[in-house]
Amino acid sequence: MAIKHRNFMKWHIWLGWLIGVPLILWTASGLFMVARPIEEVRGNHLRAEQQKIAMPFENIVMFADKGETVTGAQLIAQGSSMVWIVNYDGGQIARYDAATGKPMPRVDQGTAQIAAEETYLPEEPVQSVRYFAADNAPFDLRREKASWQVHFADGTNIYVDALTGETIAVRTQFWRAFDFMWGLHIMDLQTREDTSHPILIGSAALALFGSILGFIMLFTRRKKRRRAAA
């Protein structure tokens, strides 16, 4: 039994060296991620409330003047105005002034900045406004959408949909730190989305095996002490 215990201890030590770093990363990143509520991570507390009113398709006739089928619409407050966001068959999206029913121009740089400033509650100055095509979306947006990135002095990025003018993401500095920790936690710092890959699965399996081995050693050591006492 002493030989078995010694072998178990040797294997446990070697496994400890292999899984020590992953365990530290998992624990530290997990602790960081639960330190704040997920609503704060997403920046929900930094957004001004946005009113949305959905309307049944059959009641929407005023936007069918193009001869295209309307597939959906929302009445949204954008600044001091109410705007209809209308989806047409084929994926087309258009904006209409709710007061006049007239089509609204495309979301330009100035419109995006105003929308972001009205959405973001902290009074921080805007440092830059950049347009990104759908196929060149910023890493922290995580969506393949054409957007305007409005960067504030405190490091926060507000993303405004280039088609609808809606705020689609709030990315604070804490969000980016959280995102990095999530990448460490799942061991995927490139896409930070793959939660099932060989490195993660192998590390988890080794950690489980090492924990089971350590648990077994509690009993082998006890038996060893009893034999020594006898």
Side-chain angles (χ1 to χ4, degrees), residues 50-55 60 62-63 72-87 93-107 111 114-115 118 161 163-166:
Q50 189 175 42
Q51 183 181 2
K52 294 185 178 182
I53 304 173
M55 181 177 287
I60 305 171
M62 58 185 294
F63 306 113
Q74 284 185 325
L75 184 60
I76 297 175
Q78 291 188 356
S80 58
S81 303
M82 298 299 292
V83 178
W84 279 107
I85 307 298
V86 182
N87 299 82
I93 300 175
R95 297 195 309 154
Y96 295 88
D97 189 307
T100 64
K102 295 181 179 180
M104 297 181 67
R106 292 177 60 87
V107 180
T111 304
I114 292 172
E118 291 176 341
D161 193 308
L163 294 178
T164 67
E166 295 178 273

Side-chain angles (χ1 to χ4, degrees), residues 176-190:
R176 286 189 283 274
F178 182 97
D179 189 50
F180 177 77
M181 287 296 181
W182 168 249
L184 284 179
H185 200 70
I186 64 173
M187 298 184 173
D188 177 22
L189 288 174
Q190 291 185 329

Side-chain angles (χ1 to χ4, degrees), residues 167-210:
T167 299
I168 53 177
V170 176
R171 301 299 189 230
T172 62
Q173 288 185 322
F174 185 80
W175 185 95
R176 286 189 283 274
F178 182 97
D179 189 50
F180 177 77
M181 287 296 181
W182 168 249
L184 284 179
H185 200 70
I186 64 173
M187 298 184 173
D188 177 22
L189 288 174
Q190 291 185 329
T191 65
R192 299 177 190 175
E193 294 181 355
D194 189 359
T195 58
S196 179
H197 55 86
I199 296 177
L200 180 60
I201 294 172
S203 298
L206 286 174
L208 177 62
F209 182 68

Side-chain angles (χ1 to χ4, degrees), residues 5-6 12 19 31 35 44 69 80 89 112 124 142 153 160 214:
H5 181 81
R6 199 158 44 241
H12 190 66
I19 66 176
L31 178 62
N44 293 347
T69 303
S80 58
D89 190 22
E124 295 285 340
R142 291 291 203 284
V160 178

Side-chain angles (χ1 to χ4, degrees), residues 32-52:
F32 183 90
M33 289 189 294
V34 300
R36 292 189 186 181
I38 191 62
E39 291 79 14
E40 289 189 19
V41 176
R42 293 170 178 165
N44 293 347
H45 63 299
L46 303 175
R47 289 181 180 226
E49 186 176 353
Q50 189 175 42
Q51 183 181 2
K52 294 185 178 182

